């Protein structure tokens, strides 16, 4: 018996000889699937099984539907302390083992350090990129520095980038903070800032637009417009009956109106020239002179302020028409959820009686 492999088929050939007869050839042929087809099918089913496994993992890890119980569940990530110097909130931090004190600034797009603070923390050597920074008073050149460990309260973040500006912050009687804690940090969480007691809490970001804050106080609820520039916390307000876009800015001591918005509201150059002048300090190398003007009415959510005196100046790009500063935000709670695009501001209890 002799078995030969020919092509992709097996052929069995048996040759028997009988006495006085011609050779008899008995052939049995069994056809098998080509090896290439068998390999392809095996690979196909393996891929199908792998795809099914990956889809199962993805479905298990998928985000829950918006406003569902799972999406709205609160998960605490960390707590921190707010201190108040010169009427502005600051937060103790630790960067790569060095302690610092940063101004809590919802108007700052990026967390920022002064060059003096960065040198003390030995972060300058990490600078690898230059950035143009815009603030009240003009623009300046900053460098980017990498921070391996960024600790805020009892929460530690890994591998963060901060801006380093070539000057110290000004306008602080008790001495300047080391920099600004900006939008790039708190926008990654749902955050509660209690500006009454000086406490703050980070929570897991939630896709829960219908959620209410973790408090029982009467509050204003705002939807953050989809047109808001990246790195800004903005809401709609009304000043003298006209709708304006205001940046919620805990880094500003007072509420400011842009020169362009003031002009649209009918404030003339003659009025500005005769108005009271005050000094303004921003994240810029120079200070500015601002003019204080009295308006008829400012409406923020459910609240109305009659005859408010507001400072007018040129605001940096992307800041909107106004900065809603600490003279309005003090003695309130803030609940910020960028993942749900909502902002809650508590109403001071004196106004709810």
């Amino acid at each position: 018996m002799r078995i030969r492999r020919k092509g992709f088929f097996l052929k069995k050939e048996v040759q028997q000889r009988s006495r006085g007869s011609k050779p008899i050839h008995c052939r049995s042929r069994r056809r098998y699937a080509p090896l290439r087809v068998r390999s392809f099918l095996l690979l196909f089913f393996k891929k199908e099984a792998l795809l099914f496994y990956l889809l199962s993992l993805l479905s298990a890890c998928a985000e829950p539907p918006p406003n569902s119980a799972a999406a709205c569940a609160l998960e605490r990530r960390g707590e921190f302390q707010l201190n108040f110097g010169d009427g502005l909130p600051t937060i103790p931090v630790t960067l790569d083992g060095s302690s610092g004190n940063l101004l809590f600034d919802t108007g700052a797009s990026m967390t920022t350090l002064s060059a003096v603070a960065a040198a003390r923390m030995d972060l300058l050597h990490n600078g690898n990129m230059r950035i143009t920074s815009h603030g009240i008073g003009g623009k300046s050149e900053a460098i980017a520095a990498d921070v391996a460990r960024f600790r805020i309260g009892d929460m530690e973040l890994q591998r963060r980038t901060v801006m380093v500006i070539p000057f110290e912050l000004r306008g602080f009687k008790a001495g300047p903070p080391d920099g600004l804690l900006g939008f790039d940090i708190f926008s990654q969480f749902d955050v509660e800032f209690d500006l009454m007691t000086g406490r703050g809490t980070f929570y897991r970001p939630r896709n829960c637009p219908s959620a209410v804050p973790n408090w029982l106080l009467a509050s204003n609820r705002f939807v953050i417009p989809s047109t808001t520039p990246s790195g800004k916390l903005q809401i709609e307000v009304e000043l003298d009956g006209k709708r304006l876009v205001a940046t919620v800015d805990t880094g500003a001591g007072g509420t400011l109106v842009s020169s362009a918005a003031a002009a649209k509201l009918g404030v003339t150059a003659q009025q500005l020239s005769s108005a009271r002048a005050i000094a303004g300090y921003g994240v810029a190398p120079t200070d500015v002179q601002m003019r204080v003007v009295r308006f008829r009415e400012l409406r923020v959510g459910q609240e109305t302020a009659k005859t408010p005196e507001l400072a007018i100046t040129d605001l940096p790009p992307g800041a909107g028409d106004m900065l809603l500063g600490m003279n309005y935000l003090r003695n309130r709670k803030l609940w910020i959820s960028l993942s749900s695009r909502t902002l809650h501001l508590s109403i001071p209890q004196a106004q709810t009686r």
Side-chain angles (χ1 to χ4, degrees):
M1 182 181 291
R2 180 174 62 178
I3 299 177
R4 293 185 301 174
R5 184 182 182 99
K6 184 176 182 180
F8 294 108
F9 300 92
L10 292 177
K11 188 181 294 183
K12 185 177 183 183
E13 182 180 284
V14 179
Q15 190 179 55
Q16 296 180 346
R17 293 182 180 273
S18 300
R19 188 180 303 172
S21 64
K22 295 181 180 180
I24 300 175
H25 297 278
C26 300
R27 298 174 183 267
S28 66
R29 176 177 293 181
R30 183 179 180 184
R31 184 165 182 168
Y32 289 84
L35 295 181
R36 291 178 183 174
V37 175
R38 294 173 62 194
S39 300
F40 171 79
L41 291 173
L42 184 61
L43 181 61
F44 174 81
F45 286 116
K46 281 186 177 180
K47 285 186 176 180
E48 287 289 293
L50 179 60
L51 180 60
F52 177 80
Y53 176 70
L54 291 176
L55 288 174
S56 300
L57 287 179
L58 288 174
S59 62
C61 299
E63 289 292 326
N67 291 324
S68 64
C72 296
L74 276 178
E75 295 181 14
R76 177 191 164 281
R77 294 294 172 84
E79 294 183 355
F80 55 91
Q81 182 68 38
L82 289 163
N83 302 316
F84 292 90
D86 295 306
L88 296 176
T90 58
I91 300 177
V93 298
T94 304
L95 280 66
D96 285 350
S98 298
S99 299
N101 199 36
L102 300 183
L103 178 67
F104 163 50
D105 191 352
T106 57
S109 299
M110 286 193 65
T111 297
T112 303
L113 291 176
S114 69
V116 172
R120 174 172 58 81
M121 298 177 183
D122 195 26
L123 295 176
L124 285 180
H125 68 282
N126 292 333
N128 56 9
M129 179 173 60
R130 294 196 172 274
I131 304 170
T132 300
S133 171
H134 296 270
I136 293 177
K139 63 181 181 179
S140 59
E141 291 297 320
I143 63 171
D146 297 327
V147 179
R149 292 175 292 109
F150 196 126
R151 190 170 187 83
I152 309 170
D154 60 359
M155 181 180 71
E156 185 170 285
L157 305 175
Q158 305 292 325
R159 298 186 62 81
R160 297 290 156 173
T161 299
V162 300
M163 286 198 316
V164 179
I165 52 177
F167 51 84
E168 289 189 296
L169 301 178
R170 299 176 306 286
F172 296 88
K173 296 178 182 178
D178 295 311
L180 313 172
L181 185 69
F183 186 92
D184 58 317
I185 296 294
F186 68 80
S187 64
Q188 301 175 56
F189 306 92
D190 281 12
V191 195
E192 177 185 358
F193 298 101
D194 189 338
L195 300 179
M196 297 183 288
T197 64
R199 294 180 179 273
T201 307
F202 288 112
Y203 296 95
R204 174 186 65 88
R206 302 182 297 169
N207 186 10
C208 189
S210 65
V212 295
N214 193 28
W215 65 59
L216 299 177
L217 300 173
S219 304
N220 290 307
R221 178 184 182 275
F222 301 93
V223 175
I224 301 169
S226 58
T227 55
T228 299
S230 176
K232 297 297 180 184
L233 180 63
Q234 295 182 340
I235 59 174
E236 289 187 352
V237 301
E238 284 188 13
L239 183 59
D240 286 359
K242 293 187 180 295
R243 287 191 176 184
L244 300 178
V245 173
T247 295
V248 180
D249 191 352
T250 56
T255 296
L256 311 180
V257 180
S258 73
S259 302
K264 292 179 182 179
L265 289 166
V267 178
T268 65
Q270 185 178 1
Q271 284 179 281
L272 288 176
S273 62
S274 60
R276 176 166 57 94
I278 60 173
Y281 308 96
V283 186
T286 58
D287 303 331
V288 297
Q289 187 180 74
M290 304 186 292
R291 298 287 180 169
V292 179
V293 173
R294 187 182 298 276
F295 293 85
R296 294 193 308 274
E297 181 181 87
L298 172 63
R299 292 180 58 86
V300 182
Q302 307 170 47
E303 301 172 74
T304 301
K306 297 293 186 180
T307 63
E309 288 190 328
L310 307 176
I312 297 176
T313 188
D314 293 334
L315 298 182
D321 303 309
M322 295 181 60
L323 300 183
L324 203 60
M326 281 298 294
N327 63 336
Y328 172 81
L329 299 171
R330 193 74 168 97
N331 298 321
R332 298 176 187 267
K333 287 186 175 184
L334 283 71
W335 184 283
I336 303 171
S337 176
L338 273 298
S339 56
S340 300
R341 302 200 69 82
T342 54
L343 166 69
H344 292 262
L345 292 174
S346 69
I347 300 174
Q349 294 182 4
Q351 297 183 27
T352 60
R353 294 174 184 172

